[in-house]
Amino acid sequence: QVQLQESGPGLVKPSQTLSLSCTVSGGSITAGNFWSWIRQPPGKGLEWMGAIAMTGSTYYNPTLKSRTSISRDTSKNQFSLQLSSVTPEDTAVYYCARLRRVYVSNIAARLPDDYWGQGTQVTVSA
């Protein structure tokens, strides 16, 4: 059973960079699938932010691409998210997930064979 766990600060100041990590157990991030970051702002749907594939190739939501960077540390079986120049509109629950595909923007629903972390609340506030 693949398990994912997000970690990082819960409070970030405006204009700073949000940094989160995802630790994966029960599966290797180099073995396949798309290791992804998704967020859900209050009262809104799931927004796919981007992913890193087993090859190390990265894919990003076009609306966030200029501010987003996803990387990995294969020795720790972890992958990470950096979102720069944050504003209060970036306040959301952030999820890491193992997905079978990449998306362009919103995710309508979780698919049965995808694995998600429990999510971590990140608030952007001075």
Side-chain angles (χ1 to χ4, degrees), residues 23-99:
T23 300
V24 178
S25 59
S28 172
I29 63 173
T30 61
N33 301 295
F34 298 95
W35 304 90
S36 307
W37 289 96
I38 304 102
R39 68 181 182 179
Q40 187 167 27
K44 297 185 179 180
L46 296 168
E47 180 180 36
W48 179 80
M49 302 181 69
I52 187 165
M54 65 174 185
T55 59
S57 297
T58 51
Y59 306 83
Y60 296 106
N61 180 327
T63 63
L64 297 170
K65 185 176 181 178
S66 64
R67 300 195 292 132
T68 307
S69 178
I70 296 174
S71 59
R72 67 181 183 178
D73 185 338
T74 57
S75 67
K76 296 180 180 179
N77 213 35
Q78 290 180 340
F79 62 106
S80 299
L81 169 73
Q82 289 195 313
L83 181 67
S84 63
S85 304
V86 297
T87 72
E89 285 67 41
D90 293 309
T91 294
V93 177
Y94 285 76
Y95 298 93
C96 62
R98 190 205 79 175
L99 304 181

Side-chain angles (χ1 to χ4, degrees), residues 97-117:
R98 190 205 79 175
L99 304 181
R100 294 294 193 182
R101 53 165 287 194
V102 293
Y103 292 76
V104 176
S105 56
N106 294 336
I107 296 178
R110 300 187 184 194
L111 299 180
D113 54 351
D114 290 337
Y115 291 91
W116 291 61

